Amino acid sequence: MRNSPDQYDKLSKAFHWITAGIVVTAFVLGPGDFGRIVDGGVDPATRNDIVWHESLGIAVFVLTFLRLIWAAIRPGAPRHQMSVWMFGLSRLAHFALWALLLLLPISALLALGSESHPLTLLGGIRINLFPFIGNSYFSNLADWGEIHKLLGDVIIWLTGIHALAAIYHHIRLKDKVLVSMLP
Ligand code: HEM
Ligand code: HEM
């Protein structure tokens, strides 16, 4: 796959927009009051919002691994002309987004495992994580459910700033940053 200097390659664009769509959908479906519902005797597999949220979240996890491999071997990403501080900020924001895309699913798996709730996915898949995670060193380090919720809010705020920055580049700076990622 060739990479024109001004544009991300098609696969990078597909990864970017599919991931963005899934993250926003997973956020909207965020299973509120999850612990109380499940502790109250409701089977998470019977709740569409929980099953879809967990399935979409795991899809983001898998896509992010594949995307990172592709980012390491792809022909090259566009390099835009901008000031040093702006370049530094954009690197920092991208790094934070990559980290959140990995930390969100990891914190969710730690939350489910440490609270002995099963991972419930589309297709009737049900995985009990407690034996692997519940007894591990990490499970008692924090309230992973709260951390997961916080990270969910952070990624949405950061995405908003990231999108506004892209629009600012397009409208005010009139450069090719936004266009380089558009389909
Ligand atoms: C892109 C990834 C994800 C985003 C943006 C996201 C976002 C969120 C948000 C905002 C909440 C809080 C909802 C509220 O306060 O009412 C939440 C809760 C939850 N999410 Fe996710 N999530 C993601 C991935 C996952 C994955 C992969 C899983 C399962 C493996 C998962 C399982 C859960 C569970 C179990 C809760 C309830 C936590 C608790 O109350 O202890 N999430 N998520
Ligand atoms: C949850 C939503 C989003 C996430 C997690 C996200 C994440 C990322 C990441 C990790 C990159 C680096 C891509 C790479 O190297 O292949 C990137 C680039 C980019 N994103 Fe997003 N993004 C999201 C939404 C958006 C939205 C809504 C817009 C525009 C309105 C946008 C515009 C861009 C642009 C223009 C680039 C290229 C920037 C550059 O080369 O400096 N993104 N995004």
Side-chain angles (χ1 to χ4, degrees):
M1 190 173 291
R2 282 181 62 81
N3 205 16
S4 89
D6 288 343
Q7 292 275 314
Y8 279 90
D9 59 275
K10 285 190 180 129
L11 192 53
S12 294
K13 289 181 185 182
F15 274 132
H16 178 268
W17 292 111
I18 291 169
T19 303
I22 298 182
V23 167
V24 173
T25 313
F27 179 81
V28 172
L29 287 173
D33 244 351
F34 173 90
R36 200 181 54 78
I37 296 169
V38 178
D39 291 342
V42 174
D43 183 343
T46 62
R47 289 276 306 241
N48 268 335
D49 55 350
I50 295 175
V51 174
W52 272 97
H53 179 85
E54 296 188 0
S55 303
L56 291 173
I58 293 296
V60 167
F61 203 22
V62 174
L63 276 175
T64 302
F65 272 114
L66 296 176
R67 192 176 166 191
L68 279 169
I69 294 172
W70 177 242
I73 60 173
R74 68 187 169 190
R79 284 167 189 263
H80 308 285
Q81 289 292 327
M82 60 180 88
S83 57
V84 176
W85 69 266
M86 197 179 273
F87 178 77
L89 267 186
S90 81
R91 291 298 96 170
L92 199 64
H94 289 177
F95 176 79
L97 285 166
W98 282 116
L100 285 163
L101 290 172
L102 295 173
L103 290 175
L104 266 159
I106 290 172
S107 60
L109 294 173
L110 285 166
L112 290 174
S114 56
E115 291 164 18
S116 69
H117 296 136
L119 171 68
T120 44
L121 302 177
L122 292 166
I125 298 168
R126 191 183 183 97
I127 302 168
N128 181 10
L129 299 166
F130 186 75
F132 316 105
I133 294 172
N135 297 318
S136 75
Y137 166 75
F138 297 103
S139 94
N140 295 321
L141 276 184
D143 182 341
W144 292 107
E146 288 307 311
I147 290 181
H148 178 71
K149 288 182 192 175
L150 178 70
L151 295 180
D153 290 342
V154 172
I155 199 170
I156 293 300
W157 277 101
L158 193 55
T159 296
I161 295 168
H162 169 72
L164 284 177
I167 293 165
Y168 178 79
H169 273 277
H170 191 66
I171 293 177
R172 291 301 294 271
L173 304 180
K174 299 191 191 308
D175 60 20
K176 293 184 173 154
V177 170
L178 177 60
V179 175
S180 71
M181 192 47 105
L182 290 182

